[in-house]
Amino acid sequence: MVPAEELREEVRRRYAESALAVADGGAGCGCGSGPCCDDSTASAVSSERFGEVLYDTDQRGELPEAATLASLGCGNPTAVAELLEGEVVLDLGSGGGIDIILSAKRVGPTGTAYGLDMTDEMLALAQQNARDAGVTNVHFLKGVIEEIPLPSESVDVVISNCVINLSVDKPAVLAEMARVLKPRGRVGVSDVVAEDRLSPEERAERGSYVGCIAGALSKGEYEAGLETAGFEQITVEYTQEVADGMHNAIVKAARKATPENHQV
Ligand SMILES: C[S@@+](CC[C@H](N)C(=O)[O-])C[C@H]1O[C@@H](n2cnc3c(N)ncnc32)[C@H](O)[C@@H]1O
């Protein structure tokens, strides 16, 4: 088994490479791609089920081209999470910034949008995209989603697009989401999710870890993990099959008012 730190470094390298390709005017590679960025077979599948096609024309029109080209997700969390003016929204693994720029516009000048990512090259691309989009209420944070650099109970809505499957410590991510959310704060996440019948080995046969397939949680694991972390109103809904038994999915939940195991 690959040690966690090595796996995380592999993920960081892959997405640094992708950010540099987009900054150079090319296309990014990410979820749905094979183990290498130039895996053209996997990219053909990827272009239909991952990335910018998951956003409608109006939303793409609100964004700089580099932000849409850098879209590497497996859904559109901005269409999932209800965002209100003045709210604080946090995007876990904000990449080139597509979802957090759209969210910043939704929460408006009285709201705040935080994009968290561990990859310097992605943060630089996202900052440029936010400037080009003219949004001033976005702040990009460098860090890992397993240790969110924000205070407890400071966020209204957590979004994320195809990043939790890449984490080497998913229980830590779910616990951190519960910690930073205010009581009854909401989660609207897009992610790849496996059917419960698939073992971790069977998931790994269907795609690479950096391509967002091998590290996917199953539906039951997601639901149980969120419940343990202190969430309620949990739903995991498949939207599109991306490989046998593996789906793009929408994950929603609300933080309990006072979770039993919650540490503020
Ligand atoms: C598949 S891309 C998705 C980017 C963006 N959400 C989108 O939809 O285009 C994954 C992003 O998450 C970041 N990432 C992956 N694992 C992370 C972790 N453990 N902590 C922080 N960022 C991480 C990568 O650097 C990359 O920018």
Side-chain angles (χ1 to χ4, degrees), residues 85-109:
E85 210 153 305
E87 285 192 319
V88 178
V89 55
L90 166 68
D91 184 8
L92 300 181
S94 43
I98 183 164
D99 297 310
I100 202 63
I101 293 171
L102 289 169
S103 301
K105 293 183 179 207
R106 299 257 292 276
V107 297

Side-chain angles (χ1 to χ4, degrees), residues 8 11-16 19 29-31 51 55 67-68 70-75 77 91-99 116-120 122-123 141-147 160-169 173 210-212:
R8 183 187 275 169
V11 170
R12 198 203 55 74
R13 260 202 316 269
R14 146 67 67 103
Y15 289 99
C29 64
C31 292
Y55 297 79
T68 47
S71 168
L72 302 171
C74 51
D91 184 8
L92 300 181
S94 43
I98 183 164
D99 297 310
L116 172 64
D117 207 287
M118 67 176 178
T119 306
D120 288 320
M122 273 296 180
L123 289 164
L141 308 170
K142 180 172 177 176
V144 292
I145 63 176
E146 296 81 1
E147 270 177 84
S160 185
N161 195 348
C162 235
V163 181
I164 295 175
N165 69 77
L166 292 169
S167 170
V168 292
D169 187 353
V173 178
V210 291
C212 302

Side-chain angles (χ1 to χ4, degrees), residues 130-251:
R131 278 194 291 275
D132 292 347
V135 288
T136 53
N137 57 336
V138 178
H139 306 278
F140 289 100
L141 308 170
K142 180 172 177 176
V144 292
I145 63 176
E146 296 81 1
E147 270 177 84
I148 300 174
L150 282 176
S152 301
E153 301 195 346
S154 59
V155 171
D156 294 293
V157 181
V158 170
I159 62 168
S160 185
N161 195 348
C162 235
V163 181
I164 295 175
N165 69 77
L166 292 169
S167 170
V168 292
D169 187 353
K170 292 161 180 83
V173 178
L174 303 181
E176 278 292 87
M177 284 163 47
R179 181 186 67 78
V180 297
L181 276 169
K182 296 175 188 173
R184 301 201 172 80
R186 288 111 58 205
V187 170
V189 161
S190 300
D191 208 356
V192 174
V193 176
E195 290 176 20
D196 290 319
R197 67 183 166 89
L198 296 185
S199 66
E201 292 72 26
E202 287 169 323
R203 298 172 215 174
E205 283 163 14
R206 284 157 173 75
S208 72
Y209 192 91
V210 291
C212 302
I213 301 292
L217 289 172
S218 75
K219 187 171 186 283
E221 288 165 354
Y222 233 124
E223 289 165 344
L226 282 164
E227 198 176 345
T228 303
F231 289 95
E232 59 189 359
Q233 298 165 41
I234 299 162
T235 58
V236 178
E237 187 196 328
Y238 300 143
T239 55
Q240 195 178 27
E241 192 165 33
V242 292
D244 172 31
M246 312 281 302
H247 302 260
N248 286 345
I250 293 169
V251 179

